[in-house]
């Protein structure tokens, strides 16, 4: 008789890297209506409080007729143009969003149809503000294993539809838009599994290390109570405004400030590297005070930190890919650079990766 080992006698090896992939294109699209703090001031919000407590000076809102898939499609098309690929070349679309056009069909399917990507696999991922990190790691593994040749990874949100205009401390924080990247195999992938973290443009690109995690016990800190199977929409839930996002700002702030340095340290340790080897740090753009406190705690050079929160506000799953687009446009990311990205948000969820460009 063959002895079958108990489940706890062996454990599969864990890989925290996905090398041999590269970002071949990027693009972004923001809500058509620019809303400066002064504009919100005219509506009764405290514009001085907004800048002092968040660092946000403006944000983009969707206009009538604009939805999450519209931003996603526009950003994806820019990816295709930059990568010089056609929609027929795309075989996987992953959209990270907590504000889909519909509960069904997925926003990714709407993007597939609008772009004309023939029979591409299309799925949505909801990890709130960490969504892009989850989607990036997931799609990277598809490309790495050869299950996908060209994958669109999109973070897209229309947050203004779930933010209560009567919530004066939450409504000014958020903006609408999308950012996208196009993943494909790296032509230098012959040595992609070498694990070498040295900065060298001749080395293959990809995820040197990543970490995805969650803590559902803190789910109530960021929650839309109604509109799901637990609490369907009724006249009562509408009257109580439970179809809008509820946020315990103090709890989230303290958690984020503590978590960012921890996950950054763990991600760097998984890659056997240090902050000195990081060329650019892109955190989720939630709040300037969160970012500054975390950066100070890490002891990181502020010049290595990318921030565009002041112009876009918190765009949830779109914030990191939008930052990637602008960092590339500004020449702050070059081939061979090590870029550390950290996302955190509702769930609560968090995700990070050290990406060698």
């Amino acid at each position: 008789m063959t002895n079958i080992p108990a489940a706890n006698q062996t454990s599969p090896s864990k890989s925290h890297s996905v090398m041999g992939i590269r970002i071949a294109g990027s693009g972004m699209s923001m809500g058509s209506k620019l809303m400066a703090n002064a504009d919100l001031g005219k509506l009764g919000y405290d514009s001085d409080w907004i800048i002092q407590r968040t660092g946000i000076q403006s944000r983009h809102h969707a206009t009538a007729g604009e939805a999450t898939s519209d931003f996603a499609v526009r950003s994806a098309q820019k990816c295709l143009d930059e990568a010089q690929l056609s929609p027929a070349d795309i075989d996987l679309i992953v959209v990270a969003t907590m504000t889909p056009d519909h509960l069904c069909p997925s926003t990714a399917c709407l993007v597939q149809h609008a772009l004309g990507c023939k029979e591409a696999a299309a799925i949505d991922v909801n990890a709130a503000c960490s969504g892009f990190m989850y989607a990036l790691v997931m799609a990277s593994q598809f490309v790495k294993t050869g299950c996908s040749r060209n994958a669109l990874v999109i973070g897209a949100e229309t947050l203004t539809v779930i933010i209560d205009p009567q919530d004066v401390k939450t409504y000014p924080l958020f903006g609408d838009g999308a950012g996208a990247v196009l993943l494909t195999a790296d032509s230098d992938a012959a040595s992609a599994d070498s694990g070498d973290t040295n900065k060298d443009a001749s080395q293959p690109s990809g995820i040197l290390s990543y970490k995805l995690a969650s803590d559902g016990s803190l789910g109530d800190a960021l929650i839309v109570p109604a509109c799901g199977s637990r609490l369907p929409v009724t006249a009562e839930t509408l009257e109580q405004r439970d179809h809008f996002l509820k946020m315990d700002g103090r709890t989230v702030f303290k958690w984020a400030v503590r978590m960012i340095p921890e996950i950054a340290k763990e991600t760097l340790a998984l890659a056997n590297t240090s902050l000195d080897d990081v060329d650019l740090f892109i955190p989720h753009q939630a709040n300037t005070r969160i970012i500054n406190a975390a950066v100070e705690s890490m002891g990181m050079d502020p010049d290595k930190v990318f921030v565009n929160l002041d112009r876009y506000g918190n765009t949830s799953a779109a914030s990191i890919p939008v930052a990637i687009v602008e960092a590339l446009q500004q020449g702050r990311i070059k081939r061979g650079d090590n870029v550390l990205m950290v996302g955190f948000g509702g769930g609560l969820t968090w995700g990070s990766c050290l990406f060698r460009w």
Side-chain angles (χ1 to χ4, degrees):
M1 179 181 293
T2 302
N3 292 323
I4 301 176
N8 62 357
Q9 287 184 322
T10 60
S11 60
S13 60
K14 293 184 178 180
S15 173
H16 293 278
S17 66
V18 189
M19 299 301 294
I21 60 170
R22 67 184 180 92
I23 291 178
S26 63
M28 60 181 279
S29 173
M30 308 308 294
S32 298
K33 186 176 183 179
L34 177 64
M35 292 290 291
N37 288 348
D39 298 316
L40 292 179
K42 296 175 183 177
L43 300 176
Y45 298 92
D46 187 339
S47 56
D48 290 334
W49 178 90
I50 296 171
I51 187 66
Q52 291 171 5
R53 303 294 290 180
T54 71
I56 300 169
Q57 299 183 30
S58 63
R59 74 286 294 147
H60 290 255
H61 286 182
T63 55
E66 283 186 320
T68 298
S69 66
D70 297 316
F71 305 130
V73 169
R74 294 170 196 164
S75 62
Q77 186 60 63
K78 292 175 181 177
C79 280
L80 292 172
D81 294 343
E82 186 174 299
Q84 298 183 339
L85 293 176
S86 71
D89 295 317
I90 302 301
D91 51 23
L92 175 64
I93 301 171
V94 185
V95 174
T97 185
M98 60 180 285
T99 54
D101 288 27
H102 313 282
L103 291 178
C104 182
S106 70
T107 300
C109 280
L110 301 178
V111 173
Q112 177 271 331
H113 173 66
L115 291 175
C117 303
K118 183 179 180 182
E119 296 185 353
I123 54 174
D124 283 2
V125 172
N126 182 358
C129 302
S130 308
F132 178 77
M133 300 312 303
Y134 275 68
L136 180 67
V137 170
M138 180 188 302
S140 295
Q141 293 172 347
F142 272 81
V143 174
K144 170 66 176 178
T145 58
C147 295
S148 171
R149 292 181 300 108
N150 299 296
L152 280 170
V153 184
I154 307 168
E157 303 283 12
T158 311
L159 293 161
T160 48
V161 301
I162 65 166
I163 307 301
D164 189 349
Q166 295 181 12
D167 187 343
V168 295
K169 291 187 177 181
T170 301
Y171 187 78
L173 306 182
F174 295 92
D176 302 330
V181 299
L182 194 151
L183 294 179
T184 191
D186 187 358
S187 58
D188 294 327
S191 57
D193 295 312
S194 65
D196 183 4
T197 58
N198 291 326
K199 182 180 176 182
D200 184 348
S202 67
Q203 291 293 321
S205 62
I207 297 175
L208 291 164
S209 61
Y210 72 87
K211 175 71 176 182
L212 303 176
S214 66
D215 183 357
S217 69
L218 296 173
D220 286 345
L222 272 167
I223 186 172
V224 179
C227 302
S229 60
R230 177 66 62 189
L231 190 61
V233 177
T234 64
E236 183 180 4
T237 62
L238 292 175
E239 182 179 356
Q240 295 176 352
R241 308 184 78 77
D242 283 337
H243 56 298
F244 289 125
L245 179 73
K246 312 292 184 181
M247 182 172 70
D248 181 348
R250 184 179 297 273
T251 295
V252 174
F253 182 94
K254 291 181 177 179
W255 168 77
V257 169
R258 173 180 56 81
M259 182 279 303
I260 296 173
E262 290 180 0
I263 192 173
K265 181 179 179 180
E266 184 174 358
T267 304
L268 293 172
L270 288 170
N272 193 28
T273 188
S274 69
L275 278 177
D276 292 337
D277 298 308
V278 174
D279 296 288
L280 189 66
F281 176 45
I282 301 179
H284 165 50
Q285 307 289 301
N287 183 303
T288 300
R289 292 193 304 136
I290 290 176
I291 295 173
N292 290 343
V295 168
E296 182 178 357
S297 176
M298 293 163 61
M300 171 169 271
D301 181 355
D303 291 337
K304 289 186 175 183
V305 183
F306 190 89
V307 177
N308 60 6
L309 169 73
D310 55 319
R311 291 179 288 115
Y312 299 119
N314 183 343
T315 56
S316 186
S319 79
I320 290 179
V322 167
I324 289 174
V325 173
E326 293 205 323
L328 287 167
Q329 291 174 345
Q330 295 173 21
R332 297 188 64 180
I333 301 177
K334 302 176 293 297
R335 175 73 175 178
D337 280 356
N338 295 325
V339 180
L340 178 63
M341 296 173 269
V342 174
F344 52 91
L348 296 176
T349 62
W350 57 101
S352 65
C353 82
L354 181 62
F355 198 104
R356 181 164 63 203
W357 235 259

